[in-house]
Amino acid sequence: MVSRLISRVRLSRFKKIVALAILFCLAVLAALGLTQFWQRPVTEAPGSAVAAETIISTEPIQPIPLSIELDQGKVQLGDLLFHDPRLSADNTVSCATCHALDKGGTDRKALSIGMAGGNTGINSPTVFNAGFMHRFNWDGSAESLEEQAKGPITSVGEMGGMSWQDVVRKVGEESEYREGFAESYNDGITPENIRDALAVFQRSLYTPNAPFDQYLRGQKDAISDEAKAGYDRFKSYGCVSCHQGMLVGGNMFQTLGIFGDYFADRGTPITEKDLGRYNVTNNELDKHVFKVPTLRNITLTSPYFHDGNPKTLDEAIKLMGQYQLGVNIPQEDVDLIMQFLQSLTGEI
């Protein structure tokens, strides 16, 4: 995609102008309603089915399905595992420590804290609607929820770095797990089945029926006039060129700092070592490339960005304008865009 191409090269001033022109054209297409460019069907979450409807959106954003089908036995097992601190080496940290469901699926810390106070070096992205994503982690290093589950459990800085043999042993000590895995999996408790149960549970954490989704489905009074104006601004400024699709993001990668050195200007707490660790390609040009985050439920997940640097949504919008679009968005438009973003909060 255009954004990915831009992120892989050192942009000269000329290339920056070209990039801005392309982003502007994409925004104009959306704003003018040239729908054939944007049309795409709602896609299903992995391992699930969209319930009784096939919606073709005429907007660059599509609604989240109202229901999906999942194995409820595996969902319940995954729920137990997700909240169980025994998956950490010292029995103090669970998946929910960094992805609390009552905090928008995050921990609301700038940089998440792992076992024994270890600094993970990164901001925890929300776990809500993860089942609709095609890549995971800020660097996109995991291709599935099952693969992503390997990382935190075996990471020394996050959950202590247990071996999967030890994880299976600890899980197998509990009768509730032994019975549950026997009912849901033919081969009982295995590393693959533990990761599968965690993945199925996370797929159940979708947030449908946001006011904006109701609006997309034809209920024109589901959002305020201010939110509608904010959506128009969101498209006209070009935000929608990276934040589109069902998750309003989450489906591409982008360089942070197309129109300025974000890292030098902001004094980001992410170190060069951390940037190297989260650079999955090991290419110097990709050091500042991150997965574009979803904007679903964005009002619940502060602070923002991979480094938790902007503490408020107001600040995050202005920084995106400055560093990604090369514009200073006036406060009036920022306020309208926030009204639109608030309409993206779904039913938890």
Side-chain angles (χ1 to χ4, degrees), residues 45 112 179 260 276 285 290-291 294 337:
S112 294
E179 295 169 3
L285 298 181
F290 300 92
K291 187 177 77 171
T294 173
I337 290 172

Side-chain angles (χ1 to χ4, degrees), residues 2 15 19 22 24 26 58 104 120 164 176-177 189 203 207 225 233 251 253 259-260 323 343:
V2 170
K15 289 178 180 177
I22 292 172
F24 176 77
L26 290 174
T58 58
T120 66
W164 279 102
E176 187 173 13
Y177 283 131
I189 302 173
R203 291 186 183 113
T207 62
D225 290 340
R233 302 296 195 283
N251 58 2
F253 297 85
F259 294 95
Y323 289 100
S343 75

